[in-house]
Amino acid sequence: MSITLVAVRNPKWKTIKTERLDSDGNVVNDSDGNPIMDAVNDSGGNPIKVIDCECQWSHLGDNTQDWLLFSADARDTEQHGKDLYAALVNGDHGAIADE
């Protein structure tokens, strides 16, 4: 199946995070009882970032369809996700908002 982007809006950077675990594998909470979240880093020690946006895709209808949340990721297993990430970073769909 061919998947083509119909439209995209509201791109925003997001750092991938995971819950901090103690040496026993339990979630570590802050003083308010909320899990402490740490950035997930790549092999070079840099935080991994994706771009959250809203999309419309050809296989789901035309430009009258609902907007769907999508996280564009350079490491996506699907080519359309990689292509969208590259186009967003290239500025093809406007500026990407900060986190």
Side-chain angles (χ1 to χ4, degrees):
M1 171 187 290
S2 175
I3 299 175
T4 304
L5 182 69
V6 174
V8 63
R9 68 182 186 187
N10 301 325
K12 183 177 183 179
W13 286 108
K14 179 176 84 177
T15 301
I16 301 296
K17 296 183 178 182
T18 189
E19 295 173 329
R20 183 180 299 174
L21 303 177
D22 65 18
S23 60
D24 295 324
N26 300 307
V27 174
V28 177
N29 294 321
D30 63 18
S31 60
D32 293 325
N34 300 311
I36 297 174
M37 304 298 289
D38 293 322
V40 175
N41 295 327
D42 63 18
S43 59
N46 302 304
I48 297 174
K49 292 190 171 208
V50 297
I51 304 168
D52 282 349
C53 54
E54 297 172 294
C55 295
Q56 295 175 326
W57 298 98
S58 61
H59 67 292
L60 300 174
D62 59 18
N63 64 354
T64 62
Q65 69 183 270
D66 289 337
W67 291 92
L68 298 175
L69 296 177
F70 190 86
S71 291
D73 186 338
R75 303 163 299 131
D76 200 319
T77 58
E78 298 292 333
Q79 191 60 47
H80 66 276
K82 292 177 189 175
D83 292 345
L84 177 55
Y85 181 88
L88 288 164
V89 169
N90 191 47
D92 296 351
H93 301 284
I96 305 169
D98 292 332
E99 267 185 274

